[in-house]
């Protein structure tokens, strides 16, 4: 049973001017998502700047998100770490908080072997009972979870059910889905590849784009599921310039700027990330105006 089907938002973490988490604004962003059809909330992931949250902030944010969402859509908590013990502790606490699942990024910096990745994810999975999505993002983590390893984990470990595939290699995605034979829930981790991944048998997307246009991102998936593939593809293509602008600097720098332009108080990223450069801010504004988000 899939944790969700469709478009889940990789929600940002808004910060106050003093640098703390702005929970009031987080609630506004959460309501904006739910009211516009988001199929799941993915909290404390890459877009949520989990890497610069303290463990206390990280867990408080997950608990707060679960309370705010109140069962209206699934909440998937980012609990990955390059330290297996830390990933276990975060995942156990996320389960206690009521999260519907966890998202485990591959251990970054360590550059584990495929056997090491298998043992890492298996160890975390054995500590909890809720479903797990792996998160394969070689460009950030420095290692690639090979399709064979993903399939092995999903077949041999009961509560590992799928993967957020942010590798960007559609050939590897096709190989994964061919090997999986329906036993792995695959979600695109790249907003410019939603329809291609769905066409291969994917379940949806874990999306940065959805922070800004949740209804349209949901509709890309829903139209595809309704076999309205031309309409789905048209929405995907219509969003390409906006997607490009949202990744003109490393995520989540541009998307936080976009939300600020929309009137939300997303704040600025935590160091070492910085505010969007002016030349890129103009590019982002132009893309948002062209899409009709800004007047």
């Amino acid at each position: 049973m899939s944790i969700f089907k469709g478009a889940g938002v990789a929600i940002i973490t808004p910060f106050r001017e003093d640098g703390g988490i702005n929970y009031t604004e987080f609630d506004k962003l959460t309501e904006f998502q739910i009211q516009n059809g988001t199929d799941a909330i993915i909290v404390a992931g890459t877009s949520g700047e989990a890497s610069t949250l303290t463990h206390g902030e990280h867990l408080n944010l997950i608990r707060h998100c679960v309370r705010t969402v109140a069962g209206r859509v699934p909440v998937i908590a980012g609990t990955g770490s390059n330290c297996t013990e830390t990933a276990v502790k975060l995942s156990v606490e996320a389960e206690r908080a009521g999260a519907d699942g966890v998202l485990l990024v591959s251990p970054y910096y360590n550059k584990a072997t495929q056997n090491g990745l298998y043992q890492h994810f298996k160890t975390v999975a054995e500590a909890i009972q809720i479903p797990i999505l792996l998160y394969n993002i070689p460009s950030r983590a420095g290692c690639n979870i090979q399709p064979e390893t993903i399939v092995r984990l999903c077949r041999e470990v009961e509560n590992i059910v799928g993967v957020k595939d942010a590798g960007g290699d559609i050939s590897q995605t096709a190989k994964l889905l061919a090997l999986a034979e329906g036993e792995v829930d695959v979600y695109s981790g790249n907003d410019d590849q939603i329809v291609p991944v769905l066409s291969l048998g994917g379940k949806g997307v874990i999306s940065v784009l959805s922070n800004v246009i949740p209804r349209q991102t949901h509709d890309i998936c829903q139209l595809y599921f309704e076999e309205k593939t031309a309409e789905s593809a048209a929405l995907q293509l219509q969003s390409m310039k906006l997607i490009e602008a949202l990744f003109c600097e490393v995520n989540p720098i541009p998307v936080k700027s976009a939300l600020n332009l929309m009137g939300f108080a997303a704040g600025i990223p935590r160091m070492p990330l910085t505010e969007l450069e002016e030349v890129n801010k103009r590019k982002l504004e132009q893309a948002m105006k062209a899409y009709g988000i800004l007047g």
Side-chain angles (χ1 to χ4, degrees), residues 220-249:
I220 290 172
C221 297
Q222 188 58 40
L223 287 166
Y224 190 90
F225 299 145
E226 293 173 2
E227 299 184 357
K228 298 175 181 176
T229 53
E231 293 94 328
S232 173
L235 276 181
Q236 169 83 86
L237 295 175
Q238 182 185 347
S239 68
M240 292 300 285
K241 288 185 179 179
L242 179 58
I243 293 167
E244 181 182 355
L246 287 171
F247 288 91
C248 63
E249 290 184 28

Side-chain angles (χ1 to χ4, degrees), residues 7-8 10 21 23 27-28 70 77 97 117 121 138 144 155 171 173 188 192 197 201 205 213 217 259 293:
I21 296 175
Y23 287 103
D27 291 350
K28 292 179 183 177
L117 293 171
F121 291 124
N144 182 25
R155 284 179 174 162
S171 296
T173 305
S188 176
D192 59 356
V197 171
V205 61
I213 50 168
T217 311
L259 288 166
I293 301 168

Side-chain angles (χ1 to χ4, degrees), residues 1-11 26 30 33-34 37-43 62 65-77 98-102 130-131 133 187 206:
M1 183 70 178
S2 301
I3 305 175
F4 78 97
K5 185 178 179 182
V9 62
I11 199 166
F26 182 86
T30 301
Q33 290 296 318
I34 293 173
T38 286
D39 297 293
I41 305 285
I42 294 81
V43 61
I62 292 168
C65 183
V66 170
R67 289 194 299 268
T68 299
V69 172
R72 289 175 288 172
V73 296
V75 172
I76 301 170
D100 297 284
V102 298
I130 57 176
L133 294 179
Y187 300 89
I206 295 178

